[in-house]
Amino acid sequence: AVREALDRRTPGMANVQDGLADIHGRIGYVLGLQGNTDAALTEYRASIAARQALADRDPSNGNWQRNLEIAVNQLGSALLAQGDVAGSLTAYQRGLAIAQALVAKDPQATLLRADVWFCQVNVGGVLASLGNTAGALTAYQTALPIAEQLVVDDPTNANYRSDLSWSHEYLGDTMLAMGDKPGALDRY
């Protein structure tokens, strides 16, 4: 409430808008943990609106763009938890597009490449839940070389090594669902 009042008194101040977006995202997260998914979705959408305004104000600001991508993925997860699989897929695909655009501007940024991996895996998971195993397979196959390169670039990073392991597991699960037992075994 304090940040919202400050935002009304000082409209357009980027640091206030950024803080307000962050608070909406945090409130959405806690509401989701409490099982209040409708209220969580409202907070996530408010976070996205504020983050979108910042991203639109300065499209060259990679931090604001990345914060928007994260907020959109949070919405996707909340929609998925509520059972809105189609809405979740749309959100995850939007997050993926933002992450890919950021990597196109800075291809060496490992954090941004890890974001693309995460988004690809999210899209793959939703496609798999919809029974679109071919689409899931494509998403996971796209994610795998990203995870492999992250491990090459930073071999001591346990998160990247875990992401690589998950990539193989997701591919194996999808291949098994498609009836490709040898392919699944190879991935496992």
Side-chain angles (χ1 to χ4, degrees), residues 94-117:
R94 180 179 175 203
L96 176 59
I98 295 168
Q100 288 171 327
L102 288 169
V103 167
K105 292 177 186 175
D106 189 359
Q108 299 307 311
T110 55
L111 182 62
L112 299 178
R113 288 185 286 138
D115 286 351
V116 172
W117 175 87

Side-chain angles (χ1 to χ4, degrees), residues 42 72 83 93 108 112 164 180:
T42 298
V72 168
Q93 288 171 328
Q108 299 307 311
L112 299 178
L164 179 58
D180 181 1

Side-chain angles (χ1 to χ4, degrees), residues 18 47-48 50-73 94-106 111-112 115 119:
D18 187 51
S47 176
I48 289 169
R51 297 224 180 267
Q52 185 69 61
L54 287 169
D56 289 346
R57 177 189 295 182
D58 185 1
S60 68
N61 186 317
N63 288 330
W64 288 349
Q65 298 293 329
R66 183 169 186 266
N67 288 342
L68 175 60
E69 175 248 314
I70 291 168
V72 168
N73 279 305
R94 180 179 175 203
L96 176 59
I98 295 168
Q100 288 171 327
L102 288 169
V103 167
K105 292 177 186 175
D106 189 359
L111 182 62
L112 299 178
D115 286 351
C119 292

